[in-house]
Amino acid sequence: MKVVIVGGVAGGMSTAARLRRLREDAEIVVLERSGYVSFANCGLPYHLSGTIADRDDLLLQTPETLRARFGIDVRVRHEVTAVDTAARTVTVTDLSTGAVGTETYDHLVLSPGAAPFVPDVPGRERGHTLRTVEDLDALVEAVAHARSAVVLGAGFIGLEAAENLRERGLDVTVVELADQVMAPLDPEMALRVADELEAHGVRLELGTSLASLEECSVTLADGRSVDADLVLFAVGVRPDTTLARAAGLAIGPRGGIAVDDQQRTSDRRVFAVGDVAEKTDAVDGGAALVPLANLANRHGRRVADTLAGRTVRSGASVSTAIVRVFGLTVAMSGWSEKRARAAGVDVGVVHTHPASHAGYYPGAQPMTLKVVHRRDGRLLGVQAVGHEGVDKRVDVIATALQAGLHVDELADLELAYAPPFGSAKDPVNVVGYVAENRLAGLDDAIQWHEVAEAVGAGATLLDVRTPEEFAAGHLPGALNVPLDGLRRQVGALPAGELVVYCGVGQRAHVADRLLRQHGRRVRNLDGGWQTWSTSPAGRAAAAGAPAVGRG
C-alpha cells in the first residue's frame, strides 16, 4: 500500500506517524510545499517577543529524523500542483530545482491547511501573514527595524501577535471590522478582553478596516492615518481547496472539502484532514470550519486507523479554544448566546463570577463564567474570561457538552478540590446549581440586554446591595433596599414587576425567593452588577448614552 500525503504539520504528519506504527509495510510519502514539515505553528507568535527565545525550539521534526525513526519519505519544498483521481497520480514540482514529476498513490491524504486571507487593498504586498516558519522569519526581520505595528484582525492570531509585538516594545494598533474583539465571544465577555488590551497600551480601532497601506502607515476606511512600520494581516484563514476543486472533489457548504466520518472525500481513495476539511458541529450537526491543531492531529490519526483497517469515527467538534491576552485567559467551547439566538434557539444563560479557588486561601483570582443552554437544559456552550483556573473549568464543561449533559447536571460533577485548587462548590458546580433553580422555577433570570425593555414596560430596578456598594455604582433609576432589611420593607416596594440585582446574583437570588413568597413578580439580573457594568448597556449608561441591546 502506497500512501501519498500532501502537506505536513499537524494533520499530515499525524497521519504519517500513526500509519507507520500500524503498518510497517506501507510506503509513505509526504510532500510539503514549505521548507518545514513539522513545526509548532501555534507557537509562532511567541517567538516575536522572545518568550520562545530559540526559533529552533519551534521545529519538531525534520525529514532526516522522520526517515530515521519512521522510515517515511519526506520531501520539503515539493509542491503538488495537480491530482488525477482516475490515474491515481499527483503532479509534483520540486521548488528547489524546478523539476516536475508525478507520484502514484493507492491512497491520497490532502492536508494543505488553510491560506491566510489578504484583503485586496492598495499596498497589500507590504503586509505580512503568520502561518509558516518562512512567514515568521520575514516578520522577525521586519520587527527588528520597526517601532510601530498595525494588526488587522482581532481574532486569536491577531491578539496573540498584538500581545507579543507589544511585549517587544512596539506601538501596536489592532484594526477590526467588527464592533468588538474576538468575534466568537458574546459582547459583554469581549469587553473584558478589550479592557486588558488597552490597559497594556494596545490601541483598538473597532468597526473599521484598512483602505490602503503606505510606506510607514496605513489609512483607515474613514480616512485617518495610523503609523505602521509593519502590518500583519490576521483576518482569518480560508481552506486551501485549490487542488481539491481542480480534481473535482466535493466542496462542502462552508467552503472546505466535504468529508464523511472517516475523513473520506467524494473519492473513496482520497482523504482530507486539518484546516482544509469541514468538520461536523456537535451542537446542530451542521458543517463547520474549525482550524485547530488538536482536531487536525486527531483526524490524521483517524485516517491512519482507517487505512490500517481499523473501524473508527472522527466524531463531532465542540470547537474548544483558548488564548492568553497579556494577563488574561480567554476560553470557549460550543455556541455563544448571540449565535444561538441568531439561529432561532430559545436559550437560557448563566453568568457567574467565581474565584479560581477558595477565597480564604491566598492568591484566589476572579473569573467570569458564562454558560448557554437550551430551555430544556441541554448544554450549548461556555465562555470564560479570567486568570488562574479558566482553562480547567472550560475543559470540564466542554467535556460535558461533548457527552450531551444537561446544564443542571453540572451540579453533580465530582471535581478535584482542596483550598489551593478550587472550592467545595466548584465554579462548574455553581453554574449547575443556578441552572437547577431556574429550570425548576425557583428563580427567573433577566439578561443585561433585556433590562431596558423591562424598565420601559414599567419594571422597578431593586438593588439589594449595601448603601456603600450602591453609591459606588448602580443601574440608572434603581431603588436601593439592602437585603438584610428587605423583609421589613416588602410592603413599601412599588407595585409591578421587580428586577432585583446584587453584585453577582447570589444575594439577589435570596431576595427573589423572599419576594416571590410574598406574591411579587420578580426577575433576577443574571450575573448582577458585575455582568451589567461591563456589558455594552452598562458602558453606554456610564458614558451617558442611551441603553443598548445585545450588540
PDB file of all heavy atoms in Angstrom, residues 394-418:
ATOM      1  N   VAL A 394     -13.446  25.471  31.656  1.00  0.00           N
ATOM      2  CA  VAL A 394     -13.946  25.344  30.292  1.00  0.00           C
ATOM      3  C   VAL A 394     -13.747  23.926  29.781  1.00  0.00           C
ATOM      4  O   VAL A 394     -14.613  23.363  29.097  1.00  0.00           O
ATOM      5  CB  VAL A 394     -13.277  26.378  29.371  1.00  0.00           C
ATOM      6  CG1 VAL A 394     -13.562  26.078  27.902  1.00  0.00           C
ATOM      7  CG2 VAL A 394     -13.766  27.778  29.724  1.00  0.00           C
ATOM      8  N   ASP A 395     -12.618  23.302  30.120  1.00  0.00           N
ATOM      9  CA  ASP A 395     -12.386  21.920  29.694  1.00  0.00           C
ATOM     10  C   ASP A 395     -13.436  20.970  30.269  1.00  0.00           C
ATOM     11  O   ASP A 395     -13.915  20.063  29.580  1.00  0.00           O
ATOM     12  CB  ASP A 395     -10.989  21.455  30.122  1.00  0.00           C
ATOM     13  CG  ASP A 395      -9.890  22.002  29.224  1.00  0.00           C
ATOM     14  OD1 ASP A 395     -10.209  22.484  28.125  1.00  0.00           O
ATOM     15  OD2 ASP A 395      -8.718  21.955  29.631  1.00  0.00           O
ATOM     16  N   VAL A 396     -13.798  21.172  31.533  1.00  0.00           N
ATOM     17  CA  VAL A 396     -14.814  20.316  32.145  1.00  0.00           C
ATOM     18  C   VAL A 396     -16.157  20.487  31.437  1.00  0.00           C
ATOM     19  O   VAL A 396     -16.835  19.502  31.095  1.00  0.00           O
ATOM     20  CB  VAL A 396     -14.958  20.625  33.649  1.00  0.00           C
ATOM     21  CG1 VAL A 396     -16.208  19.957  34.224  1.00  0.00           C
ATOM     22  CG2 VAL A 396     -13.724  20.146  34.411  1.00  0.00           C
ATOM     23  N   ILE A 397     -16.541  21.741  31.202  1.00  0.00           N
ATOM     24  CA  ILE A 397     -17.844  21.983  30.578  1.00  0.00           C
ATOM     25  C   ILE A 397     -17.831  21.560  29.114  1.00  0.00           C
ATOM     26  O   ILE A 397     -18.842  21.082  28.585  1.00  0.00           O
ATOM     27  CB  ILE A 397     -18.264  23.453  30.767  1.00  0.00           C
ATOM     28  CG1 ILE A 397     -18.434  23.738  32.273  1.00  0.00           C
ATOM     29  CG2 ILE A 397     -19.565  23.753  30.028  1.00  0.00           C
ATOM     30  CD1 ILE A 397     -18.707  25.195  32.601  1.00  0.00           C
ATOM     31  N   ALA A 398     -16.684  21.695  28.433  1.00  0.00           N
ATOM     32  CA  ALA A 398     -16.571  21.193  27.063  1.00  0.00           C
ATOM     33  C   ALA A 398     -16.765  19.683  27.025  1.00  0.00           C
ATOM     34  O   ALA A 398     -17.409  19.146  26.118  1.00  0.00           O
ATOM     35  CB  ALA A 398     -15.212  21.566  26.479  1.00  0.00           C
ATOM     36  N   THR A 399     -16.217  18.996  28.019  1.00  0.00           N
ATOM     37  CA  THR A 399     -16.402  17.544  28.100  1.00  0.00           C
ATOM     38  C   THR A 399     -17.867  17.202  28.343  1.00  0.00           C
ATOM     39  O   THR A 399     -18.419  16.268  27.743  1.00  0.00           O
ATOM     40  CB  THR A 399     -15.527  16.955  29.226  1.00  0.00           C
ATOM     41  OG1 THR A 399     -14.159  17.311  28.986  1.00  0.00           O
ATOM     42  CG2 THR A 399     -15.656  15.449  29.293  1.00  0.00           C
ATOM     43  N   ALA A 400     -18.512  17.977  29.224  1.00  0.00           N
ATOM     44  CA  ALA A 400     -19.939  17.768  29.480  1.00  0.00           C
ATOM     45  C   ALA A 400     -20.762  18.018  28.226  1.00  0.00           C
ATOM     46  O   ALA A 400     -21.725  17.290  27.938  1.00  0.00           O
ATOM     47  CB  ALA A 400     -20.399  18.689  30.613  1.00  0.00           C
ATOM     48  N   LEU A 401     -20.388  19.040  27.473  1.00  0.00           N
ATOM     49  CA  LEU A 401     -21.073  19.347  26.215  1.00  0.00           C
ATOM     50  C   LEU A 401     -20.919  18.205  25.222  1.00  0.00           C
ATOM     51  O   LEU A 401     -21.889  17.773  24.586  1.00  0.00           O
ATOM     52  CB  LEU A 401     -20.501  20.649  25.654  1.00  0.00           C
ATOM     53  CG  LEU A 401     -21.011  21.158  24.310  1.00  0.00           C
ATOM     54  CD1 LEU A 401     -22.510  21.419  24.358  1.00  0.00           C
ATOM     55  CD2 LEU A 401     -20.273  22.430  23.921  1.00  0.00           C
ATOM     56  N   GLN A 402     -19.700  17.684  25.114  1.00  0.00           N
ATOM     57  CA  GLN A 402     -19.449  16.571  24.201  1.00  0.00           C
ATOM     58  C   GLN A 402     -20.236  15.326  24.633  1.00  0.00           C
ATOM     59  O   GLN A 402     -20.689  14.540  23.794  1.00  0.00           O
ATOM     60  CB  GLN A 402     -17.953  16.247  24.188  1.00  0.00           C
ATOM     61  CG  GLN A 402     -17.525  15.313  23.079  1.00  0.00           C
ATOM     62  CD  GLN A 402     -17.019  16.049  21.851  1.00  0.00           C
ATOM     63  OE1 GLN A 402     -16.158  16.915  21.960  1.00  0.00           O
ATOM     64  NE2 GLN A 402     -17.548  15.720  20.691  1.00  0.00           N
ATOM     65  N   ALA A 403     -20.410  15.167  25.938  1.00  0.00           N
ATOM     66  CA  ALA A 403     -21.104  13.990  26.464  1.00  0.00           C
ATOM     67  C   ALA A 403     -22.627  14.133  26.433  1.00  0.00           C
ATOM     68  O   ALA A 403     -23.337  13.176  26.765  1.00  0.00           O
ATOM     69  CB  ALA A 403     -20.645  13.721  27.892  1.00  0.00           C
ATOM     70  N   GLY A 404     -23.118  15.314  26.066  1.00  0.00           N
ATOM     71  CA  GLY A 404     -24.556  15.517  25.984  1.00  0.00           C
ATOM     72  C   GLY A 404     -25.236  15.769  27.314  1.00  0.00           C
ATOM     73  O   GLY A 404     -26.452  15.569  27.442  1.00  0.00           O
ATOM     74  N   LEU A 405     -24.483  16.247  28.314  1.00  0.00           N
ATOM     75  CA  LEU A 405     -25.088  16.517  29.615  1.00  0.00           C
ATOM     76  C   LEU A 405     -25.990  17.744  29.557  1.00  0.00           C
ATOM     77  O   LEU A 405     -25.826  18.623  28.707  1.00  0.00           O
ATOM     78  CB  LEU A 405     -24.010  16.739  30.678  1.00  0.00           C
ATOM     79  CG  LEU A 405     -23.078  15.575  31.003  1.00  0.00           C
ATOM     80  CD1 LEU A 405     -22.193  15.938  32.190  1.00  0.00           C
ATOM     81  CD2 LEU A 405     -23.856  14.297  31.291  1.00  0.00           C
ATOM     82  N   HIS A 406     -26.910  17.809  30.494  1.00  0.00           N
ATOM     83  CA  HIS A 406     -27.736  18.996  30.681  1.00  0.00           C
ATOM     84  C   HIS A 406     -27.046  19.925  31.673  1.00  0.00           C
ATOM     85  O   HIS A 406     -26.239  19.493  32.490  1.00  0.00           O
ATOM     86  CB  HIS A 406     -29.128  18.623  31.186  1.00  0.00           C
ATOM     87  CG  HIS A 406     -30.026  18.089  30.104  1.00  0.00           C
ATOM     88  ND1 HIS A 406     -29.638  17.090  29.251  1.00  0.00           N
ATOM     89  CD2 HIS A 406     -31.291  18.441  29.735  1.00  0.00           C
ATOM     90  CE1 HIS A 406     -30.631  16.826  28.398  1.00  0.00           C
ATOM     91  NE2 HIS A 406     -31.633  17.642  28.671  1.00  0.00           N
ATOM     92  N   VAL A 407     -27.396  21.210  31.602  1.00  0.00           N
ATOM     93  CA  VAL A 407     -26.697  22.197  32.423  1.00  0.00           C
ATOM     94  C   VAL A 407     -26.853  21.935  33.910  1.00  0.00           C
ATOM     95  O   VAL A 407     -25.912  22.125  34.697  1.00  0.00           O
ATOM     96  CB  VAL A 407     -27.155  23.621  32.045  1.00  0.00           C
ATOM     97  CG1 VAL A 407     -28.644  23.827  32.338  1.00  0.00           C
ATOM     98  CG2 VAL A 407     -26.314  24.674  32.748  1.00  0.00           C
ATOM     99  N   ASP A 408     -28.022  21.469  34.350  1.00  0.00           N
ATOM    100  CA  ASP A 408     -28.215  21.226  35.779  1.00  0.00           C
ATOM    101  C   ASP A 408     -27.413  20.024  36.271  1.00  0.00           C
ATOM    102  O   ASP A 408     -27.139  19.902  37.467  1.00  0.00           O
ATOM    103  CB  ASP A 408     -29.695  21.054  36.121  1.00  0.00           C
ATOM    104  CG  ASP A 408     -30.392  20.022  35.252  1.00  0.00           C
ATOM    105  OD1 ASP A 408     -30.068  19.904  34.065  1.00  0.00           O
ATOM    106  OD2 ASP A 408     -31.277  19.321  35.767  1.00  0.00           O
ATOM    107  N   GLU A 409     -26.995  19.152  35.343  1.00  0.00           N
ATOM    108  CA  GLU A 409     -26.170  18.012  35.736  1.00  0.00           C
ATOM    109  C   GLU A 409     -24.749  18.417  36.113  1.00  0.00           C
ATOM    110  O   GLU A 409     -24.013  17.641  36.733  1.00  0.00           O
ATOM    111  CB  GLU A 409     -26.145  16.967  34.616  1.00  0.00           C
ATOM    112  CG  GLU A 409     -27.490  16.285  34.391  1.00  0.00           C
ATOM    113  CD  GLU A 409     -27.449  15.262  33.276  1.00  0.00           C
ATOM    114  OE1 GLU A 409     -27.362  15.666  32.096  1.00  0.00           O
ATOM    115  OE2 GLU A 409     -27.497  14.049  33.589  1.00  0.00           O
ATOM    116  N   LEU A 410     -24.362  19.644  35.773  1.00  0.00           N
ATOM    117  CA  LEU A 410     -23.060  20.140  36.208  1.00  0.00           C
ATOM    118  C   LEU A 410     -22.981  20.197  37.733  1.00  0.00           C
ATOM    119  O   LEU A 410     -21.889  20.106  38.312  1.00  0.00           O
ATOM    120  CB  LEU A 410     -22.785  21.529  35.627  1.00  0.00           C
ATOM    121  CG  LEU A 410     -22.729  21.651  34.101  1.00  0.00           C
ATOM    122  CD1 LEU A 410     -22.511  23.105  33.694  1.00  0.00           C
ATOM    123  CD2 LEU A 410     -21.623  20.771  33.528  1.00  0.00           C
ATOM    124  N   ALA A 411     -24.117  20.343  38.387  1.00  0.00           N
ATOM    125  CA  ALA A 411     -24.140  20.410  39.853  1.00  0.00           C
ATOM    126  C   ALA A 411     -23.650  19.112  40.480  1.00  0.00           C
ATOM    127  O   ALA A 411     -23.153  19.115  41.618  1.00  0.00           O
ATOM    128  CB  ALA A 411     -25.558  20.725  40.342  1.00  0.00           C
ATOM    129  N   ASP A 412     -23.769  18.006  39.774  1.00  0.00           N
ATOM    130  CA  ASP A 412     -23.459  16.696  40.347  1.00  0.00           C
ATOM    131  C   ASP A 412     -22.070  16.179  39.982  1.00  0.00           C
ATOM    132  O   ASP A 412     -21.704  15.074  40.370  1.00  0.00           O
ATOM    133  CB  ASP A 412     -24.505  15.674  39.896  1.00  0.00           C
ATOM    134  CG  ASP A 412     -25.901  16.028  40.388  1.00  0.00           C
ATOM    135  OD1 ASP A 412     -26.009  16.495  41.530  1.00  0.00           O
ATOM    136  OD2 ASP A 412     -26.869  15.847  39.628  1.00  0.00           O
ATOM    137  N   LEU A 413     -21.293  16.964  39.237  1.00  0.00           N
ATOM    138  CA  LEU A 413     -19.947  16.514  38.886  1.00  0.00           C
ATOM    139  C   LEU A 413     -19.039  16.553  40.105  1.00  0.00           C
ATOM    140  O   LEU A 413     -19.014  17.537  40.848  1.00  0.00           O
ATOM    141  CB  LEU A 413     -19.365  17.401  37.779  1.00  0.00           C
ATOM    142  CG  LEU A 413     -20.101  17.404  36.440  1.00  0.00           C
ATOM    143  CD1 LEU A 413     -19.375  18.294  35.443  1.00  0.00           C
ATOM    144  CD2 LEU A 413     -20.245  15.992  35.886  1.00  0.00           C
ATOM    145  N   GLU A 414     -18.292  15.488  40.322  1.00  0.00           N
ATOM    146  CA  GLU A 414     -17.352  15.423  41.444  1.00  0.00           C
ATOM    147  C   GLU A 414     -15.972  15.822  40.927  1.00  0.00           C
ATOM    148  O   GLU A 414     -15.309  15.059  40.231  1.00  0.00           O
ATOM    149  CB  GLU A 414     -17.334  14.022  42.038  1.00  0.00           C
ATOM    150  CG  GLU A 414     -18.670  13.624  42.658  1.00  0.00           C
ATOM    151  CD  GLU A 414     -18.617  12.271  43.349  1.00  0.00           C
ATOM    152  OE1 GLU A 414     -17.540  11.892  43.845  1.00  0.00           O
ATOM    153  OE2 GLU A 414     -19.657  11.604  43.367  1.00  0.00           O
ATOM    154  N   LEU A 415     -15.559  17.013  41.298  1.00  0.00           N
ATOM    155  CA  LEU A 415     -14.325  17.591  40.785  1.00  0.00           C
ATOM    156  C   LEU A 415     -13.288  17.715  41.898  1.00  0.00           C
ATOM    157  O   LEU A 415     -13.635  17.835  43.074  1.00  0.00           O
ATOM    158  CB  LEU A 415     -14.620  18.961  40.170  1.00  0.00           C
ATOM    159  CG  LEU A 415     -15.720  18.956  39.098  1.00  0.00           C
ATOM    160  CD1 LEU A 415     -16.058  20.369  38.657  1.00  0.00           C
ATOM    161  CD2 LEU A 415     -15.295  18.110  37.903  1.00  0.00           C
ATOM    162  N   ALA A 416     -12.020  17.687  41.491  1.00  0.00           N
ATOM    163  CA  ALA A 416     -10.932  17.728  42.473  1.00  0.00           C
ATOM    164  C   ALA A 416     -11.009  19.009  43.301  1.00  0.00           C
ATOM    165  O   ALA A 416     -11.141  20.105  42.755  1.00  0.00           O
ATOM    166  CB  ALA A 416      -9.593  17.642  41.755  1.00  0.00           C
ATOM    167  N   TYR A 417     -10.892  18.856  44.615  1.00  0.00           N
ATOM    168  CA  TYR A 417     -10.986  20.021  45.499  1.00  0.00           C
ATOM    169  C   TYR A 417      -9.990  19.947  46.643  1.00  0.00           C
ATOM    170  O   TYR A 417      -9.874  18.940  47.341  1.00  0.00           O
ATOM    171  CB  TYR A 417     -12.393  20.160  46.092  1.00  0.00           C
ATOM    172  CG  TYR A 417     -12.417  21.036  47.325  1.00  0.00           C
ATOM    173  CD1 TYR A 417     -12.054  22.384  47.230  1.00  0.00           C
ATOM    174  CD2 TYR A 417     -12.742  20.521  48.580  1.00  0.00           C
ATOM    175  CE1 TYR A 417     -12.030  23.192  48.354  1.00  0.00           C
ATOM    176  CE2 TYR A 417     -12.726  21.327  49.703  1.00  0.00           C
ATOM    177  CZ  TYR A 417     -12.361  22.661  49.595  1.00  0.00           C
ATOM    178  OH  TYR A 417     -12.326  23.457  50.713  1.00  0.00           O
ATOM    179  N   ALA A 418      -9.276  21.019  46.816  1.00  0.00           N
ATOM    180  CA  ALA A 418      -8.532  21.376  48.016  1.00  0.00           C
ATOM    181  C   ALA A 418      -8.380  22.889  47.924  1.00  0.00           C
ATOM    182  O   ALA A 418      -8.390  23.449  46.818  1.00  0.00           O
ATOM    183  CB  ALA A 418      -7.175  20.683  48.068  1.00  0.00           C
TER     184      ALA A 418
END
